[in-house]
Amino acid sequence: MVEIKTEQNLTEMREAGRVVARALAAARAAAAPGVPATALDRAAREVLAEAGAGSPFLDYRPEWAPTPFPAVVCVSVNDAIVHGIPDGTRLADGDLVSVDCGALLRGWAGDAAVSFTVGRARPEDVRLIAAAEEALEAGIAAAVVGNRIGDIAHAIGTVCRKAGYGVPDGFGGHGIGRAMHEDPGVPNEGRPDRGMRLRAGMVLAIEPMLIGGGGDDHYTARDGWTIRTLDGSRAAHAEHTVAVTEAGPRILTAP
């Protein structure tokens, strides 16, 4: 079931989205060579606490997970695509880091992700991150009244494939509102003019994930959470919570 949000609902979701944006900015600011990944989690926790917001990530345990997620952010480094658990591993110069964060504020959720490099960036990582952001922009642009979910998926996938990057099957965006994960699912690749018709008031978390080596294969690490590229190549992830409105897409997690 897809809940259609009112204008007041969207205003309230925007407040949750602002918290997510601040938490991501704090996590990114904390990232530096020699800093443990847990420092990024601590920085985000402080932002959530100051805002009086909860975390939809902390203690989240879907059916497939062996343990509850122990942090308020996912920190996925280099060949980790998504769901990386922040631990004591120290970031190194040149690492590619993806941080995914959510917030729950007054009954509404926000969810977004950003990828960046630590220290000196490798040119191939800069291109990969830029493609992820371009794919996100394309997906958002397709989130208009009258389009279908497949139009968003096609827009994202077209950018990824044209740039020569892989798209991990089975991972993508989702509806969002009173809970972090709601219907409908939003694939990162698909056929245009297929799937659910978009209506004003729908809110979607759109999140392309790109594999730098060009293949689509991935595996789950021993921690049961982290998804890694099978070929060992690096990955990038970008995400925003986006409202479909009569005036066009509205990004609720923009800074």
Side-chain angles (χ1 to χ4, degrees):
M1 178 178 175
V2 176
E3 179 183 10
I4 300 301
K5 280 74 173 178
T6 66
E7 189 62 34
Q8 179 60 35
N9 295 157
L10 297 183
T11 297
E12 293 166 344
M13 288 193 71
R14 174 59 176 143
E15 292 307 308
R18 285 193 175 97
V19 175
V20 173
R22 293 199 299 271
L24 284 174
R28 182 170 187 168
V35 170
T38 50
L40 281 61
D41 182 63
R42 287 197 300 272
R45 285 179 189 248
E46 291 176 2
V47 172
L48 295 181
E50 290 172 1
S55 169
F57 288 21
L58 185 63
D59 294 328
Y60 177 59
R61 188 178 185 180
E63 292 182 358
W64 49 263
T67 58
F69 195 78
V72 303
V73 293
C74 298
V75 180
S76 305
V77 182
N78 295 333
D79 66 322
I81 305 170
V82 286
H83 301 165
I85 297 176
D87 57 18
T89 303
R90 296 185 179 277
L91 301 177
D93 186 51
D95 276 350
L96 194 166
V97 180
S98 298
V99 181
D100 192 354
C101 182
L104 291 170
L105 185 67
R106 292 188 285 277
W108 295 100
D111 187 11
V114 63
S115 292
F116 55 88
T117 54
V118 175
R120 291 169 294 183
R122 307 192 319 181
E124 57 267 37
D125 290 343
V126 173
R127 290 193 293 270
L128 178 61
I129 293 169
E133 294 173 347
E134 182 184 351
L136 176 58
E137 291 174 0
I140 292 171
V144 296
V145 174
N147 268 2
R148 294 181 181 270
I149 292 293
D151 295 309
I152 297 176
H154 179 71
I156 292 170
T158 297
V159 171
C160 297
R161 297 301 186 185
K162 184 177 180 181
Y165 297 124
V167 180
D169 185 45
F171 293 89
H174 48 88
I176 183 171
R178 300 180 192 275
M180 177 172 62
H181 291 143
E182 297 183 351
D183 290 333
V186 185
N188 285 329
E189 194 166 33
R191 298 173 62 188
D193 200 29
R194 295 290 189 275
M196 182 178 292
R197 183 81 65 184
L198 302 181
R199 297 171 53 194
M202 292 176 66
V203 183
L204 308 171
I206 300 173
E207 50 177 326
M209 304 164 199
L210 283 64
I211 297 177
D216 300 346
D217 295 331
H218 52 83
Y219 70 97
T220 303
R222 289 184 179 180
D223 62 21
W225 276 98
T226 308
I227 307 300
R228 296 188 179 278
T229 64
L230 189 62
D231 63 6
S233 65
R234 295 187 172 194
H237 178 199
E239 178 184 16
H240 270 308
T241 295
V242 180
V244 179
T245 79
E246 293 291 355
R250 185 187 307 172
I251 302 174
L252 303 181
T253 45

